[in-house]
Structure formats: C-alpha cells, structure tokens
Amino acid sequence: MSATEPAAVAETPDLYGAYPRLSEGQIERLAERGERRATEAGEVLFREGDEGYDFHAIVAGRVAVVQGQGPDERLIAVHGPGRFLGEVSLLTGQPSFLTAIVREAGEVLVVPVDELRDLVARDSALGDLILRAFLMRRSILIGLGAGIRIVGSRYSRDARRLREFAARNRIPHRWIDVEKDPEAEALLRELGIAPEETPVVVWRGEQVLRNPAGEELARVLGLPASHSDDAICDLVVVGSGPAGLAAAVYGASEGLATVALDAVAMGGQAGTSSRIENYLGFPSGISGGELAERAVIQAEKFGARLSVPSEASGFEQRDGHFAVRLDGDGNRLVEGRAVLMTTGVHYLRLPVERLDEFEAESVYYAATEAEALMCAGDPVAVVGGGNSAGQAALFLSRHVPVVRLLAREDDLTRCMSRYLIDQVENAPRIEVMLNTEVRELVGDDGVLEQIVVEDNRDSERRTIPAKAVFVFIGAEPHTGWLGGRLELDERGFILTGAAMPGCRLLETSLPGVFAAGDVRSGSIKRVASAVGEGSMAVRLVHEYLADRHSWQQPGQT
Ligand SMILES: Cc1cc2nc3c(=O)[nH]c(=O)nc-3n(C[C@H](O)[C@H](O)[C@H](O)COP(=O)(O)OP(=O)(O)OC[C@H]3O[C@@H](n4cnc5c(N)ncnc54)[C@H](O)[C@@H]3O)c2cc1C
C-alpha cells in the first residue's frame, strides 16, 4: 500500500508500546525545547538517509512514515495527534531509515535532538516512553526487513559477512538472494550490476556499495565510528559486550575519558541472544539486542566514545601508558592510561567434515530474528546442552515446525538451568535427543538437507532432516591477539587478581591492564557477572590511576 492511498490516512494501532501518545503535559514540556509549526499535506518532514534529523511530535493532522519512493514506496505506519516520529537512529546518530510525509495538514512540534536528549535525561517518565517506543520500532523495522538491501548469493562468504554485520549491529535490512529471490534479477538490471559483481548493499534505493568492508558500511550507516583524536584517554576498553559496555557506562559517568572498541558489534555474545531471562530487573526477559542498544545510548549519554568495527590486533606499553593497535584502519593506535580487556569468547565450530561447505548458508552460531527469518518453515537442529542451546531451541521453536536439540550429555541438568529445561521439555515443537553427537552434514551446493547423528552409548547412527544447524558447543577466549603480553591460564583465559600475587582484583600480570567478563580466567559466564566485573574494573582503574598519578577520583572523600 502507498502512503498516498486514502486508506493510509487511518492511524496505525499501537503495537506493543511502539506508537504511544504523549500526554498534554509532555507536549507542553517538549514545546519549551522546540518550535510548533504548521504542516501542509505532501510535505516531507525528514527523508530516508537524513542524518541528525529532529524529533517531531504531531499536534494536529496525520503523518505517514514510509520506506522507499515512487512505485517502491512501502507504508510503515500512520500517526495522528499526540504521537511522535523517529526511532533509535535519532538518539544514536544514525541516518533515518524512513521518510515522514504529512498526509493531513496540521501542526508539528519540532525539537532538536540535543534538546530532546537533555529533556529525557531530566524527565524519566518521558524518557522511558520515548526510548521504549524507539527500541520497539527498531525491532519492527528489523522484522519488516526495512532499511538497507543486501543482494548476493547464498553461497557467498562476503554476502554472509554483510548479513551478519547488519544483524549483529541491529541494522534493519532485507536479504535478497540472487539464487532464488524472484525480484533479484530485475533489481540488479535496474542497478546495472551483474550477478558476479554481488554482494552489494543498496541504501536509500539508489546508493550502491559493492562488497563493502565493515568500516565502509559502518560509516555510511552512522555506526559509532573510530575517532581521529590523538589524545591519550584514561581508559581504553577492548571489546564491547556486557562487560565492556558496563565499563564504558561506569567509566564515562565517573569522569574517566573512556573509549570502548568492538571488532564486530556492540553487545557481544549477549547481543546474539533472543531473550535473556535471568538478568536482574527484567522479569519478562529482554532481548540481547535491546539490552545492547540501551547500554549504547546510556554510555554515549555519559560521553563514552564507542567505535565499531574496531578490532584490536596488538598492544604495547609506551612512556607510562598503553597503545592498542587496530586492525585495518591504517593500523591506527588508540592510547590510554589504563586498558580493560573484555574481549569475551567465541563459539567453537563443529568437528565434522564438510563444515566449510555448509557454513555460509546453513550453519549458525547465534539465534536471533535474523537467523529465524532465514529458516522459517524448515526443520532445524540445535547442537549443545547448555543455556545458550536451550534458549536458541526455545526461540527457534516459535518460528520453525520442528527443532531437534542434540546434546551429548545424558541429562540436560548437567549444563542447563532448571527454568530453561522446564520450558524446553514443555515446548511442543522441540524434540530433545540426549547422548547424541553430530557426525556428518549432508546436502548439495552448500545447502544442508540432513545431518547424521550418533548415539554415544552404542554408536548407532541415524539421519535426521535439518535445513540449518545452530551450534552452541562451548567457547574459547579471544586472547590470541595479545601476543603473549599477559599471563593466561592453560585454556587461554586471562589471569587476574588472586591468581596473580600482588595484583589488584581484576588486574592482569601487567599493572594498568585489567580484564573482566568471559575472557577472564575463572569468571562466571553470565551477563550479570560480566556487567558486574566491567563496573568493578572501573573502580580499580581509578585506584591504579590515583596511585600512579596521585590523581583524585571524582566524588571520593
Ligand atoms: C546465544 C547466547 C545466549 C546467552 N544467554 C544468556 C542468558 O540468558 N543469561 C546470561 O546470563 N548469559 C547468557 N549468555 C552468556 C553471556 O552472553 C556472556 O556471558 C556475556 O555476553 C559475556 O560478556 P563479555 O562482555 O565478557 O563478553 P562478550 O559478550 O563475549 O563480548 C566480547 C566482545 O569483544 C569483542 N572482541 C573480541 N575480540 C576483540 C578484539 N580483538 N578487538 C575488539 N573487540 C573484540 C567481540 O566482538 C565481542 O563483542 C548467552 C550467550 C549466548 C551466546
């Protein structure tokens, strides 16, 4: 449906708090920070691709929010008096993914984004209403496949890299497979691109990025970029999962000049979790993506500088401070008086032949909306007996007809929390197969059809149908890049505190370098403990800096 059709004038009902109405009092408070102005039918308030667009509240009339233009125009929502426009991009500095067009003349209240930030920081009820709506709208956009289009072959590793980059960074996107999507051929013809020149990313319907590197895509889409500031900051946080983001929030809010880097996306492993149910304060659970988005907004509010994609490839000591070298990006250095390593872990690959062949299309290491969309309607297998496997199975069972949970243990209680076991066992679409190990992947042209599994008690093999396999079989730490500069345990995790005589808790073998979260030897692999350690580390950084530079930390008497 187009925004210009008459039916578009009807207001879109509120969906899960995505489209709430402001009270009169809230509109008055916003009016003190902005300007009211009349609108005309057909007027564009902001366009797809606009950077730094203003916050608009509708006082009178109706506004349609659309994606694309001309024949490709797609109506997303229509808003009337009391509603407001925008989504997460407005607060994070990304360009708008949508265009807002006045459908019925009226009046809007326009508030510059800096004024909005200041107001919501002071008015928590208003801040909460707007933030919840923005986060929900981002989820809706992701679900609708609005935003950028990624066009490529399902067999291309680069296409998969781009899809993963978009998914991990919660960039709304639509995947168009040149192998099977009926619209792919016409789209490529229109753009003047041969299939062998894919993958491409299409932005605003016209800008084509040919197989862009993560940095290029991040720049175009306004992700927090690396800064060209040469100043030495107080704290460099390497890795921005829950531990790193917590350190960024606490560091910046306690007056430390803090830079937080991530190689892939803010949020780390937690960002790949469809629902975290045991994090304090979220009784109905929270998606990892939303937790990460909230933390990013909070860290930026306090002035932390975030940078993605920024992969640390080495670090060294220089004249009493540290220099972290970034991969690519002209081997740029980020310098700090203290460094916190929060690089977490990455998931192990299945030890089976032909894995490489199927990895681009049918093997996944995360289960979020993006992966669920890829295999909706097909049977899938989840490998692993821990909480991440259990969560993935539960989430996928809402999208696919059957999920087989393959665990090599003889009992799920060995590695999975009781609350999850109960849910898994009661889910009608999940079949749990214990004592089961994957032996072979079967299919053609990189598309998985079946997997051969073996019962580890009697070695009996059977073949089960599976269009995709989700792997959660353990993890190893991201410490290879440290080049032996820090002491590690026998499994490669960073040793700290009690394990290192004379060190502060969470301090590594190198004074001034700290470690927190999953990458730390002996840590509890949970979101809450990573967040706790990330925040504790900031306190220890203060102590280290105070000892070293006789520097008085703010607020301490
Ligand atoms: C699917 C899934 C579901 C989960 N569910 C739950 C749950 O419900 N409850 C719970 O408590 N826990 C859960 N966990 C575990 C939890 O997510 C982790 O314990 C937590 O994320 C650890 O946080 P972290 O910050 O230490 O590390 P990570 O989350 O691993 O983050 C590390 C970050 O560092 C980055 N990085 C790595 N190397 C570099 C480098 N060289 N340069 C720059 N950046 C780098 C990575 O890209 C990553 O973003 C789940 C994990 C998964 C995978």
Side-chain angles (χ1 to χ4, degrees):
M1 195 201 308
S2 150
T4 49
E5 288 172 26
V9 180
E11 202 178 42
T12 310
D14 187 13
L15 286 172
Y16 311 111
Y19 307 132
R21 234 174 269 286
L22 297 162
S23 67
E24 279 184 18
Q26 287 170 330
I27 292 188
E28 273 165 30
R29 284 199 291 288
L30 283 160
E32 288 164 14
R33 304 297 189 111
E35 266 180 20
R36 287 170 185 262
R37 67 172 183 79
T39 55
E40 287 174 16
E43 182 185 342
V44 174
L45 299 178
F46 54 81
R47 257 179 222 292
E48 206 173 322
D50 279 358
E51 288 171 26
Y53 62 105
D54 292 325
F55 176 83
H56 290 76
I58 303 165
V59 180
R62 291 219 197 286
V63 177
V65 177
V66 303
Q67 198 208 2
Q69 48 190 334
D72 291 337
E73 186 178 294
R74 180 177 177 201
L75 180 67
I76 305 292
V78 176
H79 302 300
R83 294 244 184 117
F84 54 90
L85 309 175
E87 56 92 55
V88 168
S89 57
L90 193 135
L91 294 177
T92 56
Q94 287 169 19
S96 172
F97 290 99
L98 300 170
T99 299
I101 308 171
V102 177
R103 282 289 298 123
E104 264 179 29
E107 190 181 54
V108 287
L109 175 59
V110 186
V111 183
V113 70
D114 286 341
E115 290 290 337
L116 179 77
R117 278 204 192 99
D118 189 54
L119 179 60
V120 299
R122 291 160 198 268
D123 182 334
S124 59
L126 179 61
D128 208 40
L129 181 90
I130 293 174
L131 184 60
R132 270 171 202 240
F134 280 1
L135 291 165
M136 189 52 74
R137 290 176 191 187
R138 174 59 64 98
S139 293
I140 291 173
L141 288 188
I142 290 172
L144 287 174
I148 59 171
R149 281 178 286 179
I150 301 174
V151 191
S153 161
R154 55 174 53 199
Y155 308 124
S156 154
R157 282 195 178 275
D158 278 321
R160 173 147 182 178
R161 170 181 63 79
L162 292 168
R163 280 155 64 194
E164 280 183 358
F165 185 80
R168 293 289 86 83
N169 283 287
R170 291 191 48 89
I171 301 294
H173 66 283
R174 186 143 65 93
W175 160 236
I176 299 174
D177 184 356
V178 294
E179 308 294 337
K180 71 169 191 188
D181 213 313
E183 75 176 277
E185 197 182 327
L187 177 65
L188 288 180
R189 207 176 316 115
E190 188 189 317
L191 297 170
I193 289 166
E196 55 276 16
E197 292 173 301
T198 61
V200 294
V201 174
V202 188
W203 169 222
R204 289 183 301 160
E206 54 184 36
Q207 188 178 352
V208 177
L209 307 170
R210 289 168 194 257
N211 194 12
E215 289 83 359
E216 185 183 356
L217 200 51
R219 248 189 328 270
V220 170
L221 298 174
L223 293 180
S226 47
H227 302 265
S228 50
D229 178 357
D230 289 335
I232 299 173
C233 64
D234 295 318
L235 174 62
V236 181
V237 181
V238 187
S240 300
L245 284 170
V249 168
Y250 278 84
S253 67
E254 291 177 14
L256 295 179
T258 306
V259 175
L261 317 168
D262 201 285
V264 185
M266 298 287 149
Q269 293 167 68
T272 70
S273 168
S274 49
R275 192 136 289 264
I276 296 165
E277 298 210 39
N278 53 1
Y279 189 55
L280 188 72
F282 294 90
S284 54
I286 180 166
S287 86
E290 183 178 332
L291 188 66
E293 259 162 4
R294 284 176 174 266
V296 165
I297 292 169
Q298 199 175 8
E300 288 185 331
K301 176 180 105 172
F302 289 120
R305 293 185 307 156
L306 311 180
S307 181
V308 65
S310 292
E311 180 167 1
S313 56
F315 85 105
E316 63 202 38
Q317 265 181 300
R318 290 190 171 184
D319 306 329
H321 67 275
F322 301 94
V324 176
R325 185 174 306 104
L326 301 187
D327 202 26
D329 210 2
N331 271 339
R332 207 169 62 83
L333 295 176
V334 181
E335 295 176 275
R337 293 181 179 85
V339 178
L340 175 62
M341 303 297 180
T342 45
T343 47
V345 298
H346 59 87
Y347 275 75
L348 294 175
R349 298 169 77 224
L350 270 180
V352 290
E353 283 179 18
R354 298 186 70 195
L355 180 66
D356 279 355
E357 224 179 288
F358 295 105
E359 235 174 5
E361 172 66 11
S362 312
V363 181
Y364 299 97
Y365 297 90
T368 64
E369 286 110 336
E371 288 81 14
L373 279 174
M374 307 278 182
C375 43
D378 296 321
V380 303
V382 174
V383 189
N387 279 354
S388 31
Q391 275 179 3
L394 265 180
F395 173 71
L396 291 165
S397 70
R398 295 197 278 274
H399 299 266
V400 304
V402 53
V403 181
R404 291 192 173 82
L405 178 62
L406 316 177
R408 65 179 177 183
E409 296 81 7
D410 58 0
D411 185 346
L412 284 183
T413 54
R414 292 196 189 285
C415 305
M416 202 181 284
S417 304
R418 188 70 247 175
Y419 80 93
L420 260 180
I421 297 176
D422 292 343
Q423 292 182 39
V424 164
E425 288 178 346
N426 288 322
R429 295 191 191 163
I430 300 180
E431 181 189 334
V432 179
M433 295 173 68
L434 299 172
N435 295 105
T436 302
E437 296 181 29
V438 178
R439 292 287 177 251
E440 278 177 51
L441 303 179
V442 184
D444 289 312
D445 296 329
V447 181
L448 189 69
E449 298 290 343
Q450 297 171 322
I451 53 183
V452 177
V453 296
E454 185 175 295
D455 187 314
N456 57 22
R457 290 165 300 186
D458 55 14
S459 302
E460 192 189 330
R461 289 193 174 199
R462 48 183 284 216
T463 302
I464 56 174
K467 283 283 190 180
V469 56
F470 291 79
V471 184
F472 301 95
I473 54 169
E476 58 189 11
H478 277 292
T479 46
W481 66 279
L482 294 172
R485 284 175 194 273
L486 303 181
E487 284 195 32
L488 309 178
D489 69 13
E490 64 290 349
R491 292 168 59 219
F493 290 83
I494 302 175
L495 287 168
T496 54
M500 306 289 310
C503 285
R504 293 177 177 83
L505 198 75
L506 306 185
E507 195 169 30
T508 69
S509 50
L510 199 54
V513 178
F514 298 79
D518 279 14
V519 76
R520 195 178 69 76
S521 176
S523 68
I524 308 291
K525 310 300 185 245
R526 290 283 184 272
V527 175
S529 36
V531 167
E533 289 192 5
S535 12
M536 272 165 65
V538 168
R539 171 60 193 252
L540 302 170
V541 167
H542 274 300
E543 280 178 13
Y544 164 80
L545 292 175
D547 277 0
R548 196 165 167 80
H549 305 289
S550 307
W551 187 74
Q552 184 69 39
Q553 60 171 292
Q556 197 179 50
T557 52

